[in-house]
Amino acid sequence: MRTYLLLLFCATLYGSNFVLGSLLLQEFPAMHLSAYRLAVSSVFLMGYLILSKRMIRLTARDVIYFIPIALIGMLLHQVSFFTGLQTIDATTASLILSLSPIFTALLARIFLRESFPLRMAVGSLVALIGVFFVVSQGRGLHLSLTTGMGIMFICMLAFSGSTILMRKLTEKMDALRATAYSTLLGCLLVFPVAVWYEPDEQNSHSLGWWILLISSALLIQGLCAIIWNNQIRKVGAAKASVFLNLQPFVAMVLGYLMLGNPVNFTQVGGSILIVGGVVLSTLQKIPRYNSHNKVLPLTTKKE
């Protein structure tokens, strides 16, 4: 029971990341917000590795593996996440990103030759129908596509792509080390881009905003990464991933309570279809002999 409660705690924080990100964007530019959060989570994760004596020396070949993960999973994913949140609400963003398990499976089929069974195809179709309802906003075949939605789709694809890359990297090292080093490298990549793209950032923000930024980074991108990695060894990746489907519900509720985002029946119906389709696609029986050995490759989660 303790393990499931911890996984529920992480899923709730991951869902709240969409709302907290929307709040922080009222004060911080998107690029600088990405850089600051990566800096905080990098210090936390690397500090944890040092204190737990789990640091390893990286070879030149290891760095080559980390570069595409940092570019796609950190730079592109983080920047597109906060840029997209500037123009769409937290609920819609969370629903689009909830498609990542399906697109990860598609990419795994293409690049890793993993199977894509009929159950997964049906679940994918159900989830995409749900996205249609959310995007159309109850206007039938008239789709209300926006730039923010397009950016969030890029964010979702970047996360799915980085998950595939992380799977290959975790064949060489455990997921927590891989997450910590890729986060650090991503931070080093995002900061120069932020300074170049948004040179007028003055850092003259009130203490309250800095506390919200630092605490959200520590909890969501730091502590949750450690808790998730530890608990997933106990229940397996497939069971743990089911908890991630709670993110849109959390984002919808918190978005309504904290930001006043309206929730309509079309959005609720689309949400049910998306979450149901993802569950249908990803839920599977876990053999007892290996259910404690699977480790979910982690990237910094659903901001």
Side-chain angles (χ1 to χ4, degrees):
M1 178 60 70
R2 178 177 179 272
T3 294
Y4 290 115
L5 288 175
L6 288 172
L7 291 174
L8 180 61
F9 170 75
C10 290
T12 301
L13 284 180
Y14 287 146
S16 69
N17 191 39
F18 296 92
V19 177
L20 294 176
S22 297
L23 281 174
L24 289 167
L25 284 170
Q26 298 176 14
E27 180 71 13
F28 297 93
M31 299 288 287
H32 283 266
L33 178 57
S34 302
Y36 297 151
R37 297 246 321 223
L38 283 175
V40 173
S41 55
S42 296
V43 172
F44 181 85
L45 291 171
M46 295 304 294
Y48 179 82
L49 289 185
I50 293 173
L51 293 176
S52 60
K53 299 180 180 180
R54 299 176 64 180
M55 291 283 292
I56 60 174
R57 178 175 297 179
L58 298 180
T59 65
R61 188 172 183 178
D62 292 333
V63 175
I64 292 176
Y65 275 104
F66 275 113
I67 289 176
I69 293 178
L71 288 173
I72 297 174
M74 297 298 164
L75 180 60
L76 181 59
H77 172 65
Q78 290 287 322
V79 171
S80 59
F81 177 80
F82 288 112
T83 303
L85 276 179
Q86 288 180 309
T87 56
I88 63 173
D89 61 273
T91 301
T92 302
S94 67
L95 290 171
I96 293 174
L97 284 181
S98 69
L99 293 173
S100 60
I102 293 174
F103 280 85
T104 299
L106 285 171
L107 293 176
R109 171 61 179 169
I110 296 172
F111 295 105
L112 303 181
R113 297 293 187 265
E114 294 184 4
S115 62
F116 193 83
L118 178 61
R119 168 182 49 77
M120 189 170 289
V122 173
S124 301
L125 179 61
V126 171
L128 290 175
I129 292 174
V131 171
F132 170 81
F133 276 106
V134 172
V135 171
S136 66
Q137 297 180 356
R139 288 193 282 264
L141 295 177
H142 179 70
L143 299 182
S144 301
L145 295 175
T146 65
T147 302
M149 289 180 181
I151 293 174
M152 202 55 68
F153 270 108
I154 293 175
C155 177
M156 182 270 295
L157 290 174
F159 179 79
S160 299
S162 66
T163 301
I164 299 300
L165 294 170
M166 187 67 78
R167 286 184 185 179
K168 299 299 293 183
L169 183 59
T170 50
E171 294 175 0
K172 299 169 60 64
M173 66 181 67
D174 69 76
L176 185 57
R177 287 193 182 100
T179 300
Y181 288 121
S182 59
T183 301
L184 176 61
L185 183 56
C187 176
L188 297 177
L189 290 174
V190 172
F191 256 106
V193 175
V195 173
W196 172 77
Y197 189 75
E198 297 167 339
D200 298 328
E201 166 67 358
Q202 302 297 322
N203 295 328
S204 56
H205 308 289
S206 66
L207 179 61
W209 285 110
W210 283 111
I211 291 176
L212 179 61
L213 187 154
I214 293 172
S215 59
S216 63
L218 287 175
L219 287 173
I220 297 171
Q221 294 177 277
L223 182 61
C224 279
I226 295 173
I227 293 176
W228 191 273
N229 185 65
N230 289 334
Q231 300 308 313
I232 206 170
R233 296 177 183 274
K234 300 178 182 180
V235 300
K239 282 186 177 180
S241 64
V242 174
F243 283 84
L244 295 179
N245 296 313
L246 295 172
Q247 292 180 94
F249 174 76
V250 174
M252 184 181 298
V253 173
L254 291 181
Y256 176 77
L257 294 176
M258 299 177 64
L259 302 176
N261 293 335
V263 178
N264 53 54
F265 288 109
T266 302
Q267 199 171 42
V268 173
S271 304
I272 294 173
L273 288 174
I274 292 173
V275 174
V278 172
V279 171
L280 178 62
S281 299
T282 58
L283 192 60
Q284 55 185 308
K285 292 183 179 180
I286 305 175
R288 290 184 178 181
Y289 66 87
N290 67 352
S291 63
H292 297 284
N293 297 326
K294 292 184 180 181
V295 177
L296 178 68
L298 295 175
T299 60
T300 47
K301 182 90 183 164
K302 329 188 196 320
E303 312 312 60

